[in-house]
Amino acid sequence: MPTTTIQQAKKPVVSKRSPQRKPQLASNRFTRYFLGPIIAFIVFVSTWQLIPLMLGIPHYILPKPTDVVASAASQWPLLSEAVSVTVVVSAIGFLLSAVIGVGISILLASSKVIERSIYPYAIILQTLPVVAIAPIIVIWFGAGFNAIVVVSFLIGFFPIVSNTLMGLNSVNKQMDELFSLYNASKWQKMWRLRVPAALPFMMAGLKISATLSIVGAIVGEYVAGVGGGKGGIGYAITVAAIQVNTSFIFALAICGAILGISFYLAMSLLAKVVLGSWHESSIKQDL
């Protein structure tokens, strides 16, 4: 059937269905994606509020949600400053992980000899406990900002390398043979075939690394201190723990979780922009 005939056959159907289906689709989308998490959140917060009241647990052991909110409001300047410091450190650590991780992945994928020689050491680097190498990092980079960025970078580095390398090595064999048939060079294959094919894997690695960079920054603030500068969430938690200010510790931990979710959503949005027009994982589907 000619293309114009197919389009003409589809046109009236779309025009009749779209106005009626929009409210229904919005309702189905809300029910499917948001209703369950909202109910679970209300049940969780309600249970958390009732348990300390019913069991008589003091606030310095298990504060109620209202205590956490009150503590966050009363110490808002300290909380906002700690969050802003952690955001900056995490963002820098994540960007370094992304740029260096993708670059090293392309280098490893360019030669099997290089991959077999270097990749095992990247795995070893990932398995090293951060707490164990933190003193070395502090000696090399000094206590404070630089050391915290390095810790954030180290924790977020490996997921990007692992996922991107997997994508670069998962090229369709027939496409690879087609490029060979047209005498494409190794780097033409890399930039026009392997890198585009690796984008979904790369985006997955960036999502994982984005959340880990927050964890790395907070861990770095624990072990590397602030070096005379302003402290982030990790440093604020350490001070609050010494003061037995449990409500404020909960507030800081929740802020850390919100930061991780925000970074993840930002990477999901980037993945939708990059992959949305052609990859199945990001193509919008009606319910």
Side-chain angles (χ1 to χ4, degrees), residues 8 21 66 96 103 124 126 176 211 245:
Q8 288 174 355
R21 290 191 64 191
T66 50
L96 289 175
I124 292 173
Q126 178 65 21
D176 186 67
T211 55
N245 190 353

Side-chain angles (χ1 to χ4, degrees), residues 43-144:
V43 171
F44 173 74
V45 173
S46 302
T47 305
W48 180 9
Q49 180 73 23
L50 289 175
I51 286 178
L53 290 173
M54 295 174 65
L55 301 180
I57 301 175
H59 66 87
Y60 55 86
I61 299 295
L62 179 61
K64 302 184 292 296
T66 50
D67 296 329
V68 175
V69 173
S71 178
S74 63
Q75 301 182 72
W76 177 250
L78 179 60
L79 180 64
S80 59
E81 183 179 303
V83 169
S84 62
V85 170
T86 300
V87 167
V88 172
V89 174
S90 304
I92 295 174
F94 170 67
L95 289 175
L96 289 175
S97 300
V99 174
I100 297 176
V102 171
I104 289 181
S105 301
I106 293 174
L107 176 65
L108 295 178
S110 65
S111 169
K112 282 295 179 187
V113 175
I114 297 176
E115 181 181 343
R116 294 192 189 104
S117 302
I118 297 178
Y119 191 60
Y121 296 102
I123 298 174
I124 292 173
L125 181 65
Q126 178 65 21
T127 58
L128 287 175
V130 174
V131 176
I133 61 174
I136 301 173
I137 294 173
V138 172
I139 291 171
W140 286 353
F141 297 94

Side-chain angles (χ1 to χ4, degrees), residues 142-157:
F145 183 84
N146 293 338
I148 297 169
V149 169
V150 171
V151 173
S152 179
F153 159 76
L154 288 177
I155 291 183
F157 169 74

